[in-house]
Amino acid sequence: MPNGTGPKVVVIGGGTGTFTLLTALKHHFKDITAIVNMTDDGGSTGILRDELGVLPPGDVRQCLVALSESDQVMRDLFTYRYTTGTFKGHSFGNLFLTTLEKVTGSFAEAVEAASGILAIQGKVVPVTTDNARLILETADGRTIYGEDRIGEGPADDALFSKGKSHKLYLNTPAKLNPAAATALAEADLIVIAPGKLYSSIIPLFLIDGMKQALIKATGKKVYVCNLMTRPTQTAGFTVEDFAAEIERYIGEPVLDYVIYNTEQPSETLLSRYAVEGEQPVLFSPEAMAKQHYQAVGEPLIADQIYQRKPGDTLLKRTLIRHDSEKVAGIIKKIAGRS
């Protein structure tokens, strides 16, 4: 643990869950590294990947903004989405990172340059700089190509059936970014953020070297479980089901702590939730007590619903979110334990 900076914290994930968690954690920890999923191919990111042949900027851009210490205007600039014209639905930050990649010839250099511009606290590290796409072979024999189709399929199409086998893999081998490997090896605390299980979190473990790095890492390993299930991915999943899938893909029971919500969302929140068929993630105190990890359950639902901005025409839904400050407080307590 470096003198004067506190524990080294690594956050693994991608998407909104990682953004909200990082936004809170930066108020409690000075040394944070975000290791970011790189299989995203939906919305603005997907269009830029397809049309310009670049690596996906969207999740990286969100993490950069979350850790930014620059003024509000700069952060608003990177999250701004065009509402009309050729760039309708695109984020300025996505376009900026894409242009930086073209100028520098390297996505890693583009992220480093953007990190300086946004004056981020910590580091944002792509899990890989290889260009890979996610593929799913379902239990009923279908092949689904691309993270967006896997993560945002029709609500009545259960791509992942509980208790039935499926195969999730990448279309080409992708090696773990050495910077990510170093961060994991040196971390005092490794946090797996909430997010779409099979399309935002599991893909990180498909990167060559990632599972091995997590297994060898000596830092405490914490998983923050989702608040809601998704009908296409995790229908009927309990907290222990989410944690079990994380460890199944890693290959060993590595989790030390699992943080989960014990609060039932209000009827107002549930009625306003944008995707039909999604339900609160349930838990069994008896089952949680039998796990090898320490289960930490508390009321964790934020008081307000996040509302989609008018320019987000390429995004699909409004979200019930974690109270990120409460989650960060629990993580801080875990970090302080010997």
Side-chain angles (χ1 to χ4, degrees):
M1 186 179 297
N3 186 33
T5 63
K8 291 185 176 183
V9 178
V10 169
V11 178
I12 302 171
T16 303
T18 303
F19 170 83
T20 55
L21 185 57
L22 287 171
T23 301
L25 286 176
K26 74 178 181 182
H27 301 305
H28 300 274
F29 300 99
K30 297 297 183 183
D31 193 335
I32 302 175
T33 299
I35 298 178
V36 188
N37 173 39
M38 291 296 289
T39 59
D40 186 12
D41 60 8
S44 168
T45 288
I47 292 171
L48 293 171
R49 288 190 78 173
D50 292 342
E51 294 187 355
L52 299 177
V54 295
L55 290 174
D59 286 349
V60 167
R61 184 256 310 167
Q62 287 200 76
C63 291
L64 288 168
V65 173
L67 292 177
S68 175
E69 292 291 305
S70 62
D71 60 38
Q72 188 63 46
V73 172
M74 186 62 71
R75 296 198 299 275
D76 289 345
L77 177 64
F78 270 71
T79 58
Y80 177 80
R81 286 186 184 271
Y82 297 90
T83 57
T84 59
T86 302
F87 298 137
K88 184 178 180 180
H90 281 291
S91 158
F92 172 82
N94 287 356
L95 297 175
F96 186 84
L97 282 169
T98 294
T99 306
L100 271 178
E101 181 181 353
K102 291 292 188 181
V103 170
T104 63
S106 164
F107 188 73
E109 288 186 35
V111 175
E112 186 175 352
S115 297
I117 292 168
L118 283 166
I120 73 167
Q121 176 182 304
K123 298 178 182 178
V124 175
V125 177
V127 69
T128 185
T129 53
D130 294 323
N131 195 349
R133 303 274 186 153
L134 192 62
I135 299 176
L136 167 68
E137 291 182 9
T138 66
D140 59 9
R142 290 178 292 160
T143 299
I144 311 296
Y145 187 88
E147 181 189 301
D148 188 48
R149 290 184 63 200
I150 293 168
E152 299 292 349
D156 60 351
D157 187 1
L159 299 179
F160 300 87
S161 300
K162 187 175 179 179
K164 294 183 180 179
S165 63
H166 64 268
K167 184 178 180 182
L168 199 62
Y169 59 98
L170 302 177
N171 69 326
T172 186
K175 294 181 180 179
L176 182 63
N177 185 339
T182 298
L184 290 167
E186 296 179 351
D188 298 300
L189 190 69
I190 298 169
V191 182
I192 300 173
K196 290 178 285 187
L197 183 64
Y198 292 113
S199 49
S200 289
I201 304 303
I202 297 298
L204 288 147
F205 310 138
L206 304 179
I207 302 299
D208 291 345
M210 183 62 165
K211 292 185 288 188
Q212 295 86 342
L214 281 168
I215 291 168
K216 290 180 181 178
T218 58
K220 298 173 186 176
K221 301 173 185 72
V222 181
Y223 170 51
V224 182
C225 189
N226 291 8
L227 296 172
M228 306 290 286
T229 64
R230 293 180 62 81
T232 59
Q233 293 196 26
T234 52
F237 269 44
T238 61
V239 172
E240 54 266 34
D241 291 328
F242 276 91
E245 279 296 87
I246 292 286
E247 294 190 320
R248 184 169 76 86
Y249 271 94
I250 292 173
E252 289 191 17
V254 300
L255 296 176
D256 297 303
Y257 296 87
V258 172
I259 299 171
Y260 65 97
N261 171 56
T262 59
E263 179 182 8
Q264 178 72 15
S266 69
E267 290 300 323
T268 300
L269 281 173
L270 288 175
S271 66
R272 293 175 61 189
Y273 207 67
V275 179
E276 279 189 35
E278 299 192 16
Q279 299 294 328
V281 176
L282 301 179
F283 63 94
S284 163
E286 294 77 16
M288 298 304 288
K290 296 177 182 177
Q291 304 304 319
H292 64 88
Y293 48 76
Q294 183 170 338
V296 183
E298 292 191 17
L300 296 176
I301 297 176
D303 292 335
Q304 295 182 342
I305 300 177
Y306 169 77
Q307 296 294 336
R308 188 179 69 181
K309 295 179 181 179
D312 291 352
T313 58
L314 299 180
L315 301 180
K316 294 182 172 65
R317 65 184 189 129
T318 297
L319 300 171
I320 293 176
R321 291 186 171 181
H322 285 89
D323 184 321
S324 55
E325 282 298 330
K326 284 186 179 179
V327 176
I330 295 171
I331 293 172
K332 186 177 181 180
K333 289 180 182 178
I334 292 171
R337 295 172 182 168
S338 58

